PDB file of all heavy atoms in Angstrom:
ATOM      1  N   GLU X  55       2.226  -1.960 -14.705  1.00 78.00           N
ATOM      2  CA  GLU X  55       1.333  -1.002 -15.488  1.00 78.00           C
ATOM      3  C   GLU X  55       1.267  -1.464 -16.926  1.00 78.00           C
ATOM      4  O   GLU X  55       0.199  -1.332 -17.547  1.00 78.00           O
ATOM      5  CB  GLU X  55       1.846   0.404 -15.316  1.00 78.00           C
ATOM      6  CG  GLU X  55       1.508   0.971 -13.978  1.00 78.00           C
ATOM      7  CD  GLU X  55       1.839   2.467 -13.848  1.00 78.00           C
ATOM      8  OE1 GLU X  55       2.615   3.033 -14.661  1.00 78.00           O
ATOM      9  OE2 GLU X  55       1.334   3.133 -12.927  1.00 78.00           O
ATOM     10  N   GLN X  56       2.368  -2.000 -17.508  1.00 79.00           N
ATOM     11  CA  GLN X  56       2.326  -2.479 -18.840  1.00 79.00           C
ATOM     12  C   GLN X  56       1.444  -3.672 -18.985  1.00 79.00           C
ATOM     13  O   GLN X  56       0.609  -3.824 -19.902  1.00 79.00           O
ATOM     14  CB  GLN X  56       3.741  -2.791 -19.358  1.00 79.00           C
ATOM     15  CG  GLN X  56       4.556  -1.564 -19.596  1.00 79.00           C
ATOM     16  CD  GLN X  56       6.019  -1.926 -19.961  1.00 79.00           C
ATOM     17  OE1 GLN X  56       6.396  -3.074 -19.929  1.00 79.00           O
ATOM     18  NE2 GLN X  56       6.814  -0.919 -20.247  1.00 79.00           N
ATOM     19  N   ASP X  57       1.529  -4.591 -17.956  1.00 78.00           N
ATOM     20  CA  ASP X  57       0.733  -5.813 -17.958  1.00 78.00           C
ATOM     21  C   ASP X  57      -0.762  -5.493 -17.786  1.00 78.00           C
ATOM     22  O   ASP X  57      -1.646  -6.152 -18.322  1.00 78.00           O
ATOM     23  CB  ASP X  57       1.133  -6.743 -16.813  1.00 78.00           C
ATOM     24  CG  ASP X  57       2.502  -7.382 -17.043  1.00 78.00           C
ATOM     25  OD1 ASP X  57       3.031  -7.259 -18.207  1.00 78.00           O
ATOM     26  OD2 ASP X  57       3.097  -7.963 -16.162  1.00 78.00           O
ATOM     27  N   ARG X  58      -1.021  -4.444 -17.035  1.00 77.00           N
ATOM     28  CA  ARG X  58      -2.457  -4.050 -16.737  1.00 77.00           C
ATOM     29  C   ARG X  58      -2.979  -2.950 -17.659  1.00 77.00           C
ATOM     30  O   ARG X  58      -4.005  -2.342 -17.444  1.00 77.00           O
ATOM     31  CB  ARG X  58      -2.563  -3.603 -15.270  1.00 77.00           C
ATOM     32  CG  ARG X  58      -2.341  -4.681 -14.278  1.00 77.00           C
ATOM     33  CD  ARG X  58      -2.429  -4.110 -12.851  1.00 77.00           C
ATOM     34  NE  ARG X  58      -2.799  -5.154 -11.890  1.00 77.00           N
ATOM     35  CZ  ARG X  58      -4.064  -5.372 -11.578  1.00 77.00           C
ATOM     36  NH1 ARG X  58      -5.061  -4.701 -12.104  1.00 77.00           N
ATOM     37  NH2 ARG X  58      -4.329  -6.300 -10.635  1.00 77.00           N
ATOM     38  N   LYS X  59      -2.177  -2.636 -18.702  1.00 77.00           N
ATOM     39  CA  LYS X  59      -2.538  -1.590 -19.645  1.00 77.00           C
ATOM     40  C   LYS X  59      -2.860  -0.257 -19.014  1.00 77.00           C
ATOM     41  O   LYS X  59      -3.860   0.399 -19.267  1.00 77.00           O
ATOM     42  CB  LYS X  59      -3.700  -2.094 -20.501  1.00 77.00           C
ATOM     43  CG  LYS X  59      -3.344  -3.279 -21.364  1.00 77.00           C
ATOM     44  CD  LYS X  59      -4.490  -3.750 -22.194  1.00 77.00           C
ATOM     45  CE  LYS X  59      -4.213  -4.904 -23.074  1.00 77.00           C
ATOM     46  NZ  LYS X  59      -3.423  -5.958 -22.647  1.00 77.00           N
ATOM     47  N   GLY X  60      -2.009   0.188 -18.048  1.00 69.00           N
ATOM     48  CA  GLY X  60      -2.123   1.492 -17.430  1.00 69.00           C
ATOM     49  C   GLY X  60      -2.892   1.539 -16.136  1.00 69.00           C
ATOM     50  O   GLY X  60      -2.803   2.521 -15.399  1.00 69.00           O
ATOM     51  N   SER X  61      -3.686   0.521 -15.860  1.00 79.00           N
ATOM     52  CA  SER X  61      -4.400   0.547 -14.563  1.00 79.00           C
ATOM     53  C   SER X  61      -3.562   0.051 -13.420  1.00 79.00           C
ATOM     54  O   SER X  61      -2.617  -0.728 -13.664  1.00 79.00           O
ATOM     55  CB  SER X  61      -5.674  -0.298 -14.655  1.00 79.00           C
ATOM     56  OG  SER X  61      -5.372  -1.605 -14.782  1.00 79.00           O
ATOM     57  N   ARG X  62      -3.854   0.540 -12.231  1.00 85.00           N
ATOM     58  CA  ARG X  62      -2.989   0.109 -11.101  1.00 85.00           C
ATOM     59  C   ARG X  62      -3.723  -0.848 -10.234  1.00 85.00           C
ATOM     60  O   ARG X  62      -4.932  -0.686  -9.989  1.00 85.00           O
ATOM     61  CB  ARG X  62      -2.634   1.392 -10.311  1.00 85.00           C
ATOM     62  CG  ARG X  62      -1.638   2.274 -11.107  1.00 85.00           C
ATOM     63  CD  ARG X  62      -1.086   3.410 -10.233  1.00 85.00           C
ATOM     64  NE  ARG X  62      -0.007   4.018 -11.009  1.00 85.00           N
ATOM     65  CZ  ARG X  62       0.795   4.848 -10.439  1.00 85.00           C
ATOM     66  NH1 ARG X  62       0.694   5.260  -9.241  1.00 85.00           N
ATOM     67  NH2 ARG X  62       1.758   5.367 -11.192  1.00 85.00           N
ATOM     68  N   GLY X  63      -3.004  -1.824  -9.691  1.00 85.00           N
ATOM     69  CA  GLY X  63      -3.503  -2.830  -8.852  1.00 85.00           C
ATOM     70  C   GLY X  63      -3.322  -2.488  -7.427  1.00 85.00           C
ATOM     71  O   GLY X  63      -2.955  -1.376  -7.004  1.00 85.00           O
ATOM     72  N   PRO X  64      -3.591  -3.512  -6.528  1.00 92.00           N
ATOM     73  CA  PRO X  64      -3.455  -3.296  -5.086  1.00 92.00           C
ATOM     74  C   PRO X  64      -2.001  -3.300  -4.623  1.00 92.00           C
ATOM     75  O   PRO X  64      -1.422  -4.322  -4.201  1.00 92.00           O
ATOM     76  CB  PRO X  64      -4.233  -4.453  -4.472  1.00 92.00           C
ATOM     77  CG  PRO X  64      -4.105  -5.534  -5.547  1.00 92.00           C
ATOM     78  CD  PRO X  64      -4.082  -4.823  -6.848  1.00 92.00           C
ATOM     79  N   ALA X  65      -1.357  -2.134  -4.847  1.00 94.00           N
ATOM     80  CA  ALA X  65       0.071  -2.009  -4.503  1.00 94.00           C
ATOM     81  C   ALA X  65       0.341  -0.541  -4.208  1.00 94.00           C
ATOM     82  O   ALA X  65      -0.418   0.335  -4.477  1.00 94.00           O
ATOM     83  CB  ALA X  65       0.894  -2.481  -5.667  1.00 94.00           C
ATOM     84  N   ILE X  66       1.521  -0.322  -3.578  1.00 96.00           N
ATOM     85  CA  ILE X  66       1.972   1.040  -3.324  1.00 96.00           C
ATOM     86  C   ILE X  66       3.061   1.292  -4.363  1.00 96.00           C
ATOM     87  O   ILE X  66       4.111   0.739  -4.359  1.00 96.00           O
ATOM     88  CB  ILE X  66       2.587   1.154  -1.881  1.00 96.00           C
ATOM     89  CG1 ILE X  66       1.550   0.817  -0.834  1.00 96.00           C
ATOM     90  CG2 ILE X  66       3.142   2.568  -1.687  1.00 96.00           C
ATOM     91  CD1 ILE X  66       2.175   0.645   0.584  1.00 96.00           C
TER      92      ILE X  66
END
Side-chain angles (χ1 to χ4, degrees):
E55 284 185 345
Q56 288 174 355
D57 290 347
R58 293 176 154 269
K59 297 180 178 40
S61 67
R62 292 188 169 191
I66 301 169

